Amino acid sequence: MARIQLRFSPIIPTIASFLLAALWGLSVFAGWGLEAFCAGGEAASACSQRLGTVSTVSGLFAALAACCTAAAWLLPWSRHDPRAFSRLMGAGVLAWIAAEGVLFLGGMLVR
C-alpha cells in the first residue's frame, strides 16, 4: 500500500497565523472587542474592565501562539525538518484559534 504525502507551502499556515494575530490584535487593542461586546446597555467602564480580564486570559494563548510561530521560523532544527515545522506551525495556529475563541466566548459572557 502506497503512502500519500501531502505537501503544502509553509506560507499558508504563516499567513493564517498572521491573519489570526491581526484579528486578535485589532479586537484587543483597537477597540473592536469593546465595540462588539460593550456597546449599549450597561456602563461601559464595568464592561470594559471585565473584557480586559478576558483579554488577559486570551493573551496567554496569543503569547503561546506567537512563540510557536516564531520558533517554527527561527529555530534551525525546525526549518530543516518539515515535520517539526508543521507541528510548531500547527500548534501556533491552534493556539491562535484558542485565543480567538476565549476572547469571543469571554466577550459573550461579559455581555
Side-chain angles (χ1 to χ4, degrees):
M1 191 182 269
R3 245 180 114 167
I4 297 174
Q5 289 187 339
L6 297 175
R7 297 276 181 189
F8 59 90
S9 172
I11 297 300
I12 294 171
T14 303
I15 289 173
S17 185
F18 283 140
L19 289 175
L20 288 168
L23 177 62
W24 183 85
L26 290 171
S27 296
V28 171
F29 299 116
W32 286 14
L34 287 173
E35 186 66 31
F37 300 115
C38 295
E42 191 181 338
S45 64
C47 183
S48 67
Q49 185 178 13
R50 289 193 307 262
L51 190 61
T53 303
V54 169
S55 297
T56 302
V57 174
S58 176
L60 298 173
F61 289 102
L64 174 66
C67 289
C68 287
T69 302
W73 279 103
L74 297 177
L75 296 176
W77 58 266
S78 173
R79 281 183 287 147
H80 298 299
D81 182 12
R83 284 183 38 193
F85 183 85
S86 295
R87 287 181 181 162
L88 279 172
M89 285 303 292
V93 170
L94 289 176
W96 278 121
I97 291 170
E100 298 288 344
V102 166
L103 191 61
F104 177 76
L105 292 175
M108 294 301 286
L109 292 175
V110 163
R111 191 189 271 196

